Amino acid sequence: MKKFSVLLTLIICISLMAGCSGTIPLSFDQNRPWRIFSTIQSPCAEEMTYRVEIFAGTTDDTRITKDTSSYKVTLKEGKTNVGDEVALTATVDTVMTINYRDDLDFADKGLTDTVETKVIFRLDNLSALYSYRKITLADRAGEENNSYEVTMDYVNKTSTITYQDGSTKPMKLKNSSPVYDNEMMYYLVRSFSTIDVGASDSFKIVNGYENFLDGKYSATSLKASTENTVDVRVDKNIFDLVPTKEDAFEKTVDGETEYYLTCYRTQISLSSKKSGPPMFSYMSRGAFVSGGTNTTYKVPVALVNHQYDIDGNTTYTQMCTLTDYSAYGNY
């Protein structure tokens, strides 16, 4: 299988069979979980940095990425002009850098792939206004380089994809409002009021690249379900952000202290009968408190994706584990 297929499945983008378009009413938290203040006039920001690890199988198999592989997510609230309207919005920028190990003898030895994304969505109903994704793949011997850029302008209902050779292709969008975009998926799911043990929600999301593969605009039907809580091992600086003892604990193993946060294990998968690998977001059950004043909720402590072969065996596992976190507002 070409590495391009692996990237589409693993690197924080939902790449599944498309369903019909349309919207489903969703229930969101009254205050967005990344918000520090209760009043919407106070803009907030949030920054998260993750350690990225990709394994050639399960986490018990060989890790094929370097320690320098990372995923950075930045959210900033502000205002966006939408025609004659000035909308209160959130802008999320991400950069994922995958550095493959050079001490192993495999096809990706020493290579680097990157993914950059941006999405702007409304703060009131979380409807997307604009999104962008840029996939930059290293050249691989004997394989076509499938790097690309895709933009989705939901206000003007236009989209464009640019391929590695510089060729472009436009597409007219037929979105209604609200519309949710692939690049905001984890923030969308995090905002559901149904993130709790035994709860679930169904929603639809648009993936620009999938649209160009299919040759038409459509949305994918997904389901977010939280079956249980799981204790996720974290670095001490992340552990220290959760003060509630029932949500954070430490234990000693072979004379060393390990730190854990209790997280909701939320699976994101197709809500139809069509196949596709699920994705998992492990969101903190306890609130993050920084400096005694900044309080945020359901922070994604870990993001886990898998890829399987036709026999159901795990061929790749990607883990993103939170290593640095900050949130601030307009004091």
Side-chain angles (χ1 to χ4, degrees):
M1 179 174 290
K2 292 185 178 181
K3 180 58 63 179
F4 180 58
S5 299
V6 174
L7 286 166
L8 283 181
T9 303
L10 295 179
I11 299 184
I12 312 304
C13 67
I14 200 81
S15 182
L16 304 169
M17 299 295 291
C20 58
S21 60
T23 56
I24 301 172
L26 297 171
S27 176
F28 298 116
D29 292 339
Q30 182 176 0
N31 294 323
R32 302 298 175 244
W34 61 85
R35 292 201 58 80
I36 303 164
F37 301 96
S38 59
T39 56
I40 203 168
Q41 288 78 17
S42 302
C44 301
E46 184 179 56
E47 293 184 359
M48 295 177 280
T49 301
Y50 294 84
R51 175 175 57 250
V52 178
E53 300 169 288
I54 299 179
F55 301 86
T58 69
T59 54
D60 293 328
D61 294 306
T62 302
R63 175 174 55 85
I64 62 175
T65 50
K66 292 183 179 179
D67 294 338
T68 53
S69 298
S70 64
Y71 177 51
K72 185 171 183 178
V73 182
T74 302
L75 176 143
K76 293 183 180 179
E77 295 183 344
K79 298 178 180 180
T80 300
N81 292 325
V82 185
D84 296 331
E85 174 194 8
V86 178
L88 296 172
T89 58
T91 298
V92 177
D93 291 282
T94 76
V95 178
M96 177 175 279
T97 303
I98 304 296
N99 297 312
Y100 296 97
R101 292 174 61 176
D102 50 18
D103 59 336
L104 297 176
D105 187 16
F106 69 120
D108 302 323
K109 179 179 180 179
L111 300 181
T112 295
D113 297 320
T114 61
V115 180
E116 302 171 57
T117 76
K118 177 190 287 289
V119 64
I120 302 173
F121 58 88
R122 294 178 180 270
L123 285 177
D124 53 3
N125 64 359
L126 274 69
S127 180
L129 300 174
Y130 170 87
S131 77
Y132 168 81
R133 188 196 307 165
K134 180 179 180 180
I135 304 283
T136 305
L137 305 178
D139 290 327
R140 288 169 168 83
E143 294 187 11
E144 180 183 358
N145 191 314
N146 289 303
S147 302
Y148 68 88
E149 294 180 58
V150 62
T151 60
M152 305 288 285
D153 185 341
Y154 295 104
V155 176
N156 296 306
K157 297 190 175 184
T158 60
S159 178
T160 303
I161 190 168
T162 302
Y163 296 101
Q164 171 72 7
D165 61 4
S167 62
T168 63
K169 183 184 297 183
M171 179 182 294
K172 293 293 293 182
L173 304 183
K174 300 178 180 179
N175 56 282
S176 56
S177 186
V179 60
Y180 309 117
D181 187 272
N182 180 80
E183 313 312 335
M184 60 179 288
M185 182 176 62
Y186 286 120
Y187 273 96
L188 179 71
V189 171
R190 180 182 173 190
S191 299
F192 289 166
S193 59
T194 50
I195 300 301
D196 200 358
V197 174
S200 64
D201 222 329
S202 296
F203 61 103
K204 294 187 177 182
I205 207 159
V206 176
N207 183 316
Y209 179 76
E210 292 290 314
N211 280 188
F212 280 99
L213 280 182
D214 296 338
K216 62 180 180 180
Y217 174 84
S218 64
T220 301
S221 297
L222 301 177
K223 181 179 182 179
S225 56
T226 306
E227 296 183 358
N228 57 359
T229 59
V230 174
D231 297 324
V232 177
R233 186 178 177 182
V234 296
D235 296 339
K236 189 177 186 303
N237 63 311
I238 302 300
F239 170 84
D240 289 340
L241 294 173
V242 178
T244 51
K245 292 183 179 179
E246 62 269 26
D247 299 311
F249 69 93
E250 55 187 86
K251 64 180 180 180
T252 302
V253 178
D254 296 330
E256 294 190 4
T257 303
E258 296 179 352
Y259 303 94
Y260 293 85
L261 297 183
T262 300
C263 299
Y264 295 111
R265 181 178 183 268
T266 299
Q267 176 176 304
I268 306 167
S269 57
L270 282 167
S271 58
S272 67
K273 295 181 180 179
K274 295 181 179 180
S275 62
M279 309 173 75
F280 296 89
S281 179
Y282 292 75
M283 290 172 273
S284 61
R285 185 176 66 183
F288 274 39
V289 179
S290 177
T293 56
N294 302 356
T295 303
T296 53
Y297 303 89
K298 294 184 290 185
V299 176
V301 173
L303 305 169
V304 180
N305 307 322
H306 304 281
Q307 187 173 28
Y308 307 96
D309 61 21
I310 58 175
D311 296 321
N313 300 312
T314 304
T315 55
Y316 289 94
T317 297
Q318 176 182 284
M319 293 183 60
C320 299
T321 306
L322 189 66
T323 59
D324 194 23
Y325 180 86
S326 64
Y328 52 91
N330 181 8
Y331 298 105

